[in-house]
Amino acid sequence: MASDGSSNAIDPSIFDYLKAHGEEELEVGDRLHQITATLNRHISTCQGLLSRIHSTPGSKLPPLLKQIEVDGIKPEVDSVGALAEFASKYPYYNEVPVNLKDRDAFHITIEEYILALTDITEELSRLAMNSVTMGDISLTVRISGFIKDLFAGFQLLNLKNDIVRKRVDAVKYHVKKVEDVIYDLDAASIMALLDPVTMSSPAGKAKAGEVSKPKDSEPPTQAVRIMESPQAQVIRHIHPVLLASLFLARFKALVADPVSTLSSAIPVVMVIQAAYAIACLPAAGSQIAKPAKKIRPGEKKKSGSEGMGPNIAVTTLVALILSATAAVAFHVVLVLFGAPFLTHVAQTFFCSTHMALLGLFPLFYTRGVSSNDWLEILSARAPIDEAFGGLMGACVGAWLGAVPIPLDWDREWQKWPVTILCGIYAGYLAGKALGGTLAFGMRLGSRLD
């Protein structure tokens, strides 16, 4: 009887239940591990593709973003969907947040969402600096506005003193980092325009006690290429058409009243040249801008403008001021070459202004006032590009335009300075076209390798 009583004390079906549920738990754990492992692989792929954004120009981003969507984001979404579908059936697992008010289901908590936003600001602050090195200043400005708006929204939250609060507080350092980039861009643009060679890098200066190298060892200047964006290529071809159309449309008025016609056309030519330079030409100092050094935790930011690109608005304004100043020099040159000295002063000055806007403004915009560049330009040893080719064409055209003036044809258009203006515009357009195509990169008397 004792043995019968002890055999009935434990129900054998309990062990069958524990065995079945233990095996089920192992299977569920293995399945969750498989899904999360697949998700982690997709996350790594997506992060690897996203890291290319920091070294990809804006014009080449659409194909990369498409690849990220197809090879990275969509597989991640599918893996998260599979994880949500499977994990929601077993809400007792620690991997699954179950604090929904109306049901237990897989979801992203508010804390996780806020932490993800703080991670975005860190990557965007890095992208803001890298976009400067790639010449996309507008992207840096947009990133600055977005991070500031996001940080302002964080200030409305009543957060506890936990990891979320600490990460949100760190966003202000990302905001300051991008603000420093914007500030350095504004501060460095004028210096880069005034002397881009000196401002290219402090490391380029001779160290204390080191013998400085002669100027002959400086690398020769390079021809300035037109930017490769589709907008730049379109405006590059529209630009000569606009100038030629303006001149032909105002030619009769130019013959009848040169002073008023030339003066009223100056703002139009100024706008056309500025739009062409901004859309098609790299600003002075942009070719030599270097990547900004990443600041390590606890390291103080060093003063200086290393790695910063130029401010387009400031560069354009300074180039226009320098061109207006150069018009006075052109006026003197025209007088020395036979222009009326005491009469027709207004005609000569406005003619000089047009010549400066056409021939010199693009050079001031792309070269700044670098002594090395302008020494080669003034000695006709600079590499030929659209800007330098336009200046040479305008000078040759002005010289040839003086030929019809003394001829006894008795034509109204032979008066000063109509034929000179015809030569300047025709020569500029021809020199610009040749400098950007057949003669690009060549130097007078030699060809660049």
Side-chain angles (χ1 to χ4, degrees):
M1 296 297 293
S3 61
D4 294 340
S6 60
S7 62
N8 296 328
I10 299 177
D11 187 355
S13 62
I14 294 177
F15 295 99
D16 295 335
Y17 174 83
L18 293 176
K19 179 182 178 181
H21 281 270
E23 292 177 351
E24 180 185 8
E25 184 175 352
L26 289 176
E27 293 177 357
V28 172
D30 291 340
R31 179 56 181 161
L32 286 174
H33 177 72
Q34 293 175 0
I35 296 176
T36 54
T38 302
L39 177 60
N40 288 331
R41 287 197 299 270
H42 294 321
I43 291 175
S44 299
T45 301
C46 188
Q47 288 177 340
L49 293 173
L50 285 171
S51 64
R52 299 181 187 176
I53 292 180
H54 295 282
S55 59
T56 304
S59 59
K60 298 181 181 179
L61 276 180
L64 177 59
L65 296 178
K66 183 65 176 179
Q67 183 183 4
I68 293 172
E69 180 183 1
V70 175
D71 298 338
I73 296 178
K74 286 186 177 180
E76 278 189 52
V77 173
D78 295 339
S79 297
V80 172
L83 180 61
E85 180 181 0
F86 185 79
S88 295
K89 302 175 183 177
Y90 307 96
Y92 50 87
Y93 279 94
N94 293 331
E95 292 89 348
V96 184
V98 291
N99 58 350
L100 290 176
K101 293 182 179 180
D102 56 343
R103 67 189 186 282
D104 290 339
F106 181 89
H107 69 284
I108 297 176
T109 64
I110 296 177
E111 291 79 6
E112 291 170 335
Y113 179 73
I114 295 177
L115 291 175
L117 290 179
T118 60
D119 288 338
I120 289 178
T121 60
E122 183 176 4
E123 284 297 313
L124 286 178
S125 64
R126 178 189 169 200
L127 180 60
M129 292 187 292
N130 291 332
S131 63
V132 173
T133 65
M134 293 185 292
D136 193 354
I137 309 300
S138 60
L139 177 59
T140 304
V141 176
R142 293 199 302 271
I143 291 175
S144 176
F146 175 80
I147 294 181
K148 288 180 180 179
D149 292 342
L150 189 61
F151 183 65
F154 284 151
Q155 302 305 302
L156 302 177
L157 303 178
N158 185 18
L159 301 174
K160 299 179 181 179
N161 191 19
D162 54 7
I163 182 63
V164 179
R165 176 63 177 270
K166 294 179 181 179
R167 295 284 292 276
V168 169
D169 289 341
V171 174
K172 64 183 177 183
Y173 297 106
H174 304 153
V175 174
K176 185 178 184 302
K177 183 186 295 185
V178 179
E179 287 178 342
D180 289 342
V181 174
I182 300 295
Y183 175 79
D184 289 341
L185 282 174
D186 293 336
S189 58
I190 299 179
M191 297 303 299
L193 177 63
L194 293 179
D195 196 351
V197 174
T198 304
M199 293 302 297
S200 60
S201 173
K205 299 179 180 179
K207 297 181 180 179
E210 185 179 27
V211 179
S212 60
K213 296 181 179 180
K215 290 186 177 180
D216 294 339
S217 63
E218 294 183 0
T221 57
Q222 301 296 321
V224 177
R225 295 185 178 274
I226 300 296
M227 289 190 285
E228 298 179 355
S229 65
Q231 297 84 350
Q233 296 301 318
V234 171
I235 295 178
R236 174 191 185 185
H237 293 91
I238 293 178
H239 173 248
V241 176
L242 290 177
L243 287 176
S245 301
L246 173 65
F247 187 81
L248 293 176
R250 300 290 294 168
F251 181 75
K252 291 184 178 180
L254 174 65
V255 174
D257 188 358
V259 174
S260 62
T261 303
L262 289 175
S263 61
S264 61
I266 287 176
V268 181
V269 177
M270 186 185 304
V271 171
I272 294 176
Q273 290 294 90
Y276 161 71
I278 294 172
C280 301
L281 301 176
S286 60
Q287 300 95 330
I288 45 80
K290 294 186 177 181
K293 181 180 179 182
K294 186 176 182 180
I295 302 176
R296 298 177 181 178
E299 182 181 359
K300 293 183 179 180
K301 179 178 175 65
K302 296 182 179 180
S303 59
S305 58
E306 182 178 358
M308 297 301 104
N311 183 293
I312 302 300
V314 174
T315 303
T316 304
L317 178 60
V318 174
L320 287 173
I321 294 174
L322 294 174
S323 300
T325 305
V328 179
F330 269 144
H331 183 103
V332 175
V333 172
L334 289 178
V335 171
L336 293 177
F337 273 83
F341 177 50
L342 299 177
T343 61
H344 299 80
V345 175
Q347 291 91 327
T348 304
F349 178 75
F350 288 137
C351 177
S352 303
T353 304
H354 279 259
M355 190 171 182
L357 287 175
L358 294 176
L360 290 181
F361 171 75
L363 287 170
F364 282 127
Y365 184 86
T366 56
R367 304 288 187 180
V369 290
S370 168
S371 57
N372 186 40
D373 289 358
W374 280 99
L375 182 61
E376 292 196 359
I377 291 173
L378 296 177
S379 60
R381 292 186 291 108
I384 299 176
D385 49 29
E386 282 201 4
F388 185 45
L391 175 62
M392 291 194 300
C395 293
V396 174
W399 180 69
L400 294 177
V403 173
I405 293 178
L407 300 180
D408 57 351
W409 293 346
D410 295 332
R411 296 292 189 271
E412 182 68 16
W413 50 263
Q414 287 181 269
K415 67 182 180 181
W416 178 266
V418 177
T419 58
I420 303 295
L421 261 297
C422 292
I424 289 174
Y425 273 83
Y428 171 76
L429 295 178
K432 174 178 176 294
L434 291 175
T437 53
L438 299 177
F440 181 82
M442 297 175 58
R443 298 175 188 265
L444 294 181
S446 64
R447 181 187 295 269
L448 287 178
D449 294 335

